[in-house]
């Protein structure tokens, strides 16, 4: 009923930049918090950044001042701009959204399939 599709992953050199996007579609009444998570090989999933419906943002210490999260509510899309990328940023990046459906009043959490980001020379 609700789908999240990430795009923009790829291979970049250390110090480079990359932009990710995530489009949410389905029977959406309202999208609340949107976020990006990542999972490196052999590691646990961790929160990278989040943004509330009011625009308030939160970042992991490892990416603060390098990454920027933003959203376009008219397009139901969240973005992640990654600058000064480091090899340790290599991971699968997942989009996450808290969505209220048109069919009821409950808020459900949805996940995208993930997009690979590789930082290497």
């Amino acid at each position: 009923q609700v789908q999240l599709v990430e795009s923009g992953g790829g291979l970049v050199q250390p110090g480079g930049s990359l932009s990710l996007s995530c489009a949410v579609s389905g029977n959406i009444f309202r999208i609340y918090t949107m976020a990006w998570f990542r999972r490196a090989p052999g590691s646990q999933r961790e929160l990278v950044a989040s943004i509330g419906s009011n625009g308030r943002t939160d970042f992991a210490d490892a990416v603060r001042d390098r990454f920027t999260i933003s959203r376009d509510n008219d397009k139901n899309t969240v973005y992640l701009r990654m600058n000064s990328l480091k090899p340790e940023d290599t991971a699968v990046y997942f989009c996450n959204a808290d969505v209220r459906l048109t069919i009821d009043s409950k808020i459900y959490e949805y996940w995208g399939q993930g997009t690979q980001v590789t930082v290497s020379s």
Side-chain angles (χ1 to χ4, degrees):
Q1 191 172 49
V2 173
Q3 293 183 332
L4 283 66
V5 180
E6 303 100 333
S7 62
L11 174 65
V12 296
Q13 297 186 97
S17 298
L18 196 65
S19 294
L20 306 180
S21 65
C22 172
V24 183
S25 62
N27 297 327
I28 302 167
F29 180 81
R30 183 178 179 182
I31 302 176
Y32 296 91
T33 302
M34 306 179 81
W36 289 94
F37 290 76
R38 68 185 182 186
R39 184 176 64 243
S43 301
Q44 294 182 316
R45 183 182 64 194
E46 65 175 350
L47 174 68
V48 177
S50 65
I51 182 168
S53 59
N54 60 0
R56 183 151 50 207
T57 60
D58 189 34
F59 296 91
D61 290 340
V63 307
R64 187 171 290 111
D65 299 326
R66 296 191 297 120
F67 290 11
T68 299
I69 188 170
S70 60
R71 63 191 287 169
D72 186 333
N73 293 327
D74 292 331
K75 297 181 179 180
N76 292 332
T77 300
V78 62
Y79 306 91
L80 185 69
R81 176 64 176 176
M82 303 180 290
N83 298 314
S84 302
L85 283 163
K86 305 174 181 179
E88 50 263 44
D89 293 318
T90 296
V92 177
Y93 285 70
F94 297 90
C95 180
N96 170 274
D98 297 326
V99 181
R100 181 181 177 183
L101 306 179
T102 58
I103 60 174
D104 62 33
S105 62
K106 295 182 178 180
I107 300 174
Y108 299 89
E109 186 177 69
Y110 293 93
W111 294 87
Q113 295 294 318
T115 184
Q116 177 70 49
V117 173
T118 302
V119 184
S120 176
S121 60

